């Protein structure tokens, strides 16, 4: 009556022929949480929390890196997509691919240079539930170089995205915006207040003075895709760029990066006396913040100080986002530690730069007073807030670190796909290409008291994969030999005594490979029979989930989903199906 979806294979002996020194190097560091990606350059982060996950979006520096032939300076001119990551534990990050802004904005006004599409930098994201349509709506804003701000919308944090406008939402003709040829209209920062009203900040560059007067804020219409009225100045001292907004404790919190203007004590003392504040002047390239209860009134904004220092880590610019996730706040920012590591290892030329990486550290915020304690960035990063569950389906592109891994979208694979082009739309249907000696690791994996008795791999091609508790070959728990010309599942039995309790690290190490694409993996505990599918009879559908375990509503789904249903036998079943 039933057919087991999982093909059983014999356990291969744990003797192996490849030592740790033969594997792809670890450029991130096994104990480091930062950067969030061990193989993708990305910058200018923003974030949102949705359905128990934190989604982070950033400028795709890696696109410029590949366009440069992995050498030379980052000119930012070829950044025409936005990267998307997510996590539910702050350490193991899922890469969702990229949002192809060039493709989505191809129909923008081509004849007016400052309204048409050119690049996509420094995104800012938010979402809301639309009570009228009973749908969740997501909005992603980005700057088109220094010319203005565009917007994309979606019904999911990973898309599919669309452009609701035919040109930039904010540009030189926008009332109150910075005029042509002087200050920039870039680096958007969006928030929605407790009344459901959207606001967006933008602007930058300007003269190298204490008050460049380049920061702006404007109200958004209910559509969130048009401005409502005239933009006004935010009197931000030493303002340069990297605008973001938050709504905390009933007030608007504006953050920005300071400029390189000369700091004059008498000038700052006069500013402090005029505004009744006691904080010191900011150093160059630091993240500052201001607070207001009336954002369109320039006189209402109060400078509160520095909450993020110069990031160092090999970069000469600064951009951050303050994000609450659960009950804690996080400081999400960029540095260039991965680039520095690659330089030191002679993976790239010494003059290659500056290609940045997104990092996360804990922030301390007193909501009642909108006070942010200055953050100390570190590669150590944050503490994992929950253990990873190996008994639910995990995407192969979920990882704490990796070496020698490439990304592909299995709906669009060609024989000559270039390495790390990252040119696909953000999608849950990602997979990773693993070459010989490549590896992926996840951290704090909880196998429970009974332990894991089976391991299922969903992949394509031919490869041999070790499951290890460290990078050392001596820690190999099991080995799976895989071969399939199509995406398929294969299962091996493992000794439950070897994977029991919480393991600090689990490594998946490929010792041999031939066009080996890994899509997902899952362990089965010793008390579970695995995923089963009924062969005959129409099942009663109960609930559909995506591959990250998030509940899906409605009838329109894309790609592979998890369906739970009650069969004719009255028993509950789980199966993976494709749309």
């Amino acid at each position: 009556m039933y057919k087991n979806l999982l093909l059983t294979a014999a356990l291969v002996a744990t003797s192996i022929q490849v030592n740790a020194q033969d594997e792809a190097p670890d450029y991130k560091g096994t104990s480091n949480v930062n950067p969030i990606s061990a193989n993708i350059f990305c910058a200018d982060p923003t974030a949102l929390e949705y359905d128990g996950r934190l989604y982070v979006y950033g400028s795709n520096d890696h696109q410029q890196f590949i366009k440069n032939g992995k050498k030379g300076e980052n000119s930012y001119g070829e950044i025409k997509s936005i990267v998307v990551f997510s996590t539910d534990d702050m350490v193991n990050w899922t890469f969702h691919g990229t949002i192809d802004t060039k493709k989505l904005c191809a129909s923008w006004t081509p004849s007016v240079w400052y309204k048409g599409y050119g690049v996509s930098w420094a995104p800012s994201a938010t979402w809301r539930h639309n009570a009228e349509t009973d749908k969740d709506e997501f909005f992603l804003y980005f700057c088109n170089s220094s010319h203005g701000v565009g917007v994309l919308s979606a019904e999911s944090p990973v898309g599919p995205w669309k452009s609701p406008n035919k040109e930039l939402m904010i540009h030189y003709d926008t009332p109150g915006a910075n005029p042509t040829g002087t200050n920039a209209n870039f680096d958007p920062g969006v928030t929605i207040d407790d009344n459901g009203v959207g606001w967006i900040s933008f602007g930058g560059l300007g003269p190298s003075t204490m008050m460049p007067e380049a920061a702006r804020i404007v109200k958004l219409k209910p559509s969130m895709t048009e401005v409502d009225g005239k933009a006004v100045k935010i009197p931000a001292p030493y303002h340069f760029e990297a605008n973001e907004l938050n709504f905390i404790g009933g007030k608007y919190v504006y953050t920005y990066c300071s400029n390189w203007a000369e700091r004059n004590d008498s000038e700052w003392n006069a500013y402090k006396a005029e505004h009744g504040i006691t904080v010191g002047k900011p150093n160059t390239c630091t993240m500052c913040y201001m607070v207001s209860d009336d954002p369109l009134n320039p006189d209402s904004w109060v400078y509160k100080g520095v909450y993020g220092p110069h990031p160092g880590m090999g970069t000469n610019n600064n951009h951050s986002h303050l994000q609450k996730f659960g009950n804690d706040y996080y400081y999400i920012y960029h540095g260039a530690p991965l680039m520095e590591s690659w330089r030191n290892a002679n993976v790239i030329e010494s003059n290659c730069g500056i290609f940045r990486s997104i990092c996360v550290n804990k922030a301390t915020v007193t909501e009642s007073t909108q006070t942010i304690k200055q953050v100390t960035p570190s590669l150590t990063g944050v503490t994992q807030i929950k253990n990873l569950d190996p008994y639910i389906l995990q995407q192969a592109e979920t990882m704490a670190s990796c070496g020698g891994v490439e990304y592909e979208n299995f709906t669009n694979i060609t024989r000559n796909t270039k390495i790390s082009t990252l040119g696909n739309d953000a999608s849950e249907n990602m997979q990773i290409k693993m070459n010989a000696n490549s590896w992926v690791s996840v951290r704090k994996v909880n196998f429970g008291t009974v332990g894991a008795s089976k391991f299922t791999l969903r992949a394509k091609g031919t490869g041999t994969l070790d499951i290890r508790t460290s990078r050392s070959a001596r820690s190999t728990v099991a080995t799976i030999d895989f071969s399939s010309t199509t995406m398929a599942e294969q299962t091996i039995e493992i000794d439950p005594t070897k994977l029991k309790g919480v393991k600090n690290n689990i490594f998946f190490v490929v010792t041999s490979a031939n066009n080996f694409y890994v899509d997902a993996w899952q362990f089965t505990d010793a008390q579970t029979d695995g995923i089963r599918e009924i062969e005959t009879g129409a099942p009663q559908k109960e609930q559909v989930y995506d591959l990250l375990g998030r509940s899906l509503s409605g009838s329109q789904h894309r790609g592979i989903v998890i369906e739970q249903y009650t069969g004719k036998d009255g028993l509950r079943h789980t199966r993976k199906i494709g749309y």
Side-chain angles (χ1 to χ4, degrees), residues 528-550:
T528 304
D529 291 332
I531 301 174
R532 305 178 79 88
E533 179 185 32
I534 193 167
E535 285 189 333
T536 60
Q540 175 186 347
K541 185 185 297 185
E542 291 190 349
Q543 184 59 60
V544 177
Y545 302 87
D546 68 13
L547 295 182
L548 294 175
R550 299 167 303 193

Side-chain angles (χ1 to χ4, degrees), residues 139-437:
F139 302 94
L140 186 63
Y141 305 83
F142 63 90
C143 63
N144 184 43
S145 183
S146 62
H147 307 319
V149 176
V151 59
L152 303 174
S153 61
E155 295 181 3
S156 157
V158 296
W161 296 89
K162 64 180 180 180
S163 173
N165 299 332
K166 294 297 183 182
E167 62 183 27
L168 291 173
M169 185 184 77
I170 295 172
H171 45 69
Y172 292 120
D173 292 337
T174 300
N178 287 302
T180 305
T182 55
N183 303 337
N185 293 310
F186 72 167
D187 286 11
V190 66
T191 195
I192 298 176
D193 64 25
D194 286 349
N195 295 317
V197 178
W199 302 85
I200 194 164
S201 57
F202 63 96
L205 304 184
S208 185
T209 61
M210 178 180 167
M211 295 300 294
E213 298 189 340
R216 299 288 188 274
I217 188 169
V218 67
K219 183 180 177 182
L220 294 174
K221 290 184 177 180
S223 67
M224 295 291 290
T225 60
E226 297 178 89
V227 300
D228 186 3
K230 182 179 179 180
V232 302
K233 295 178 182 179
I234 299 177
Y238 300 109
H239 173 266
F240 185 65
E241 60 181 0
N243 316 282
E244 275 281 21
L245 281 176
N246 283 277
F247 191 73
I248 301 174
K251 293 189 177 183
Y252 304 85
V253 179
Y254 167 67
T255 61
Y256 66 95
C257 175
S258 64
N259 64 15
W260 280 258
E262 181 182 355
R263 272 49 170 172
N264 183 287
D265 287 341
S266 61
E267 189 177 36
W268 184 252
N269 289 334
Y271 177 85
K272 289 197 300 181
E274 179 184 358
H275 295 277
I277 62 174
T278 59
V279 294
K281 57 183 179 295
N283 290 328
T284 60
C285 198
T286 55
M287 296 305 304
C288 309
Y289 72 110
M290 303 182 75
V291 174
S292 169
D293 56 7
D294 184 10
L296 295 181
N297 176 9
D299 294 334
S300 71
W301 287 97
V302 177
Y303 178 79
K304 300 269 285 186
V306 172
Y307 84 108
H310 188 294
M313 298 184 181
T315 183
N316 61 357
N317 56 34
N318 208 343
H319 198 118
S320 72
H321 176 69
L322 182 68
Q323 178 66 43
K324 189 174 185 180
F325 180 51
N327 295 320
D328 296 311
Y329 279 90
Y330 293 92
Y331 178 67
I332 311 174
Y333 61 101
H334 71 227
L338 183 62
M339 181 197 70
E340 290 284 271
S341 181
W342 286 11
R343 277 179 177 173
N344 294 337
N346 296 318
V347 175
I348 55 177
E349 297 176 0
S350 60
N351 64 348
C352 182
I354 293 172
F355 296 97
R356 302 158 295 179
S357 296
I358 293 176
C359 304
V360 184
N361 281 87
K362 196 80 169 287
T364 301
V365 178
T366 304
E367 294 184 334
S368 59
T369 60
Q370 299 81 39
T371 302
I372 312 170
K373 185 178 179 180
Q374 184 165 320
V375 179
T376 302
S378 69
L379 292 178
T380 305
V382 299
T383 302
Q384 191 165 335
I385 61 175
K386 62 182 288 191
N387 294 327
L388 185 142
D389 184 354
Y391 301 126
I392 64 175
L393 193 71
Q394 297 286 350
Q395 294 303 292
E397 57 274 15
T398 297
M399 59 188 74
S401 191
C402 68
V405 170
E406 306 166 22
Y407 293 94
E408 301 295 344
N409 182 315
F410 69 65
T411 62
N412 187 30
I413 292 175
T414 61
R415 291 183 179 179
N416 297 318
T417 301
K418 295 180 180 179
I419 296 174
S420 301
T421 55
L422 306 185
N424 302 305
D425 291 339
S427 171
E428 69 273 20
N429 293 337
M430 290 286 293
Q431 63 182 9
I432 63 174
K433 184 177 181 182
M434 299 190 73
N435 302 307
N437 303 322

Side-chain angles (χ1 to χ4, degrees), residues 479-524:
T479 300
I480 183 169
D481 286 323
F482 188 96
S483 184
S484 175
T485 58
T486 61
M487 272 293 168
E489 290 178 345
Q490 182 171 311
T491 299
I492 60 170
E493 295 181 356
I494 57 180
D495 182 354
T497 64
K498 294 185 176 181
L499 288 179
K500 185 182 292 188
V502 177
K503 299 298 182 183
N504 287 331
N505 292 281
I506 292 294
F507 288 84
F508 302 102
V509 182
V510 172
T511 58
S512 65
N514 183 17
N515 291 323
F516 191 40
Y517 294 89
V518 181
D519 175 36
W521 56 267
Q522 183 175 5
F523 287 89
T524 303

Side-chain angles (χ1 to χ4, degrees), residues 41-61:
F41 293 125
C42 46
D44 307 323
T46 189
L48 59 83
E49 179 181 359
Y50 180 71
D51 199 21
R53 294 190 71 83
L54 179 67
Y55 290 84
V56 171
Y57 307 81
S59 301
N60 189 359
D61 276 20

Side-chain angles (χ1 to χ4, degrees), residues 551-578:
S551 177
L552 299 173
S553 60
S555 59
Q556 298 298 317
H557 310 296
R558 299 179 300 111
I560 295 174
V561 300
I562 307 297
E563 183 181 76
Q564 289 185 350
Y565 64 92
T566 301
K568 295 179 68 175
D569 55 2
L571 299 177
R572 169 163 282 197
H573 304 271
T574 301
R575 64 180 180 181
K576 287 201 295 185
I577 56 178

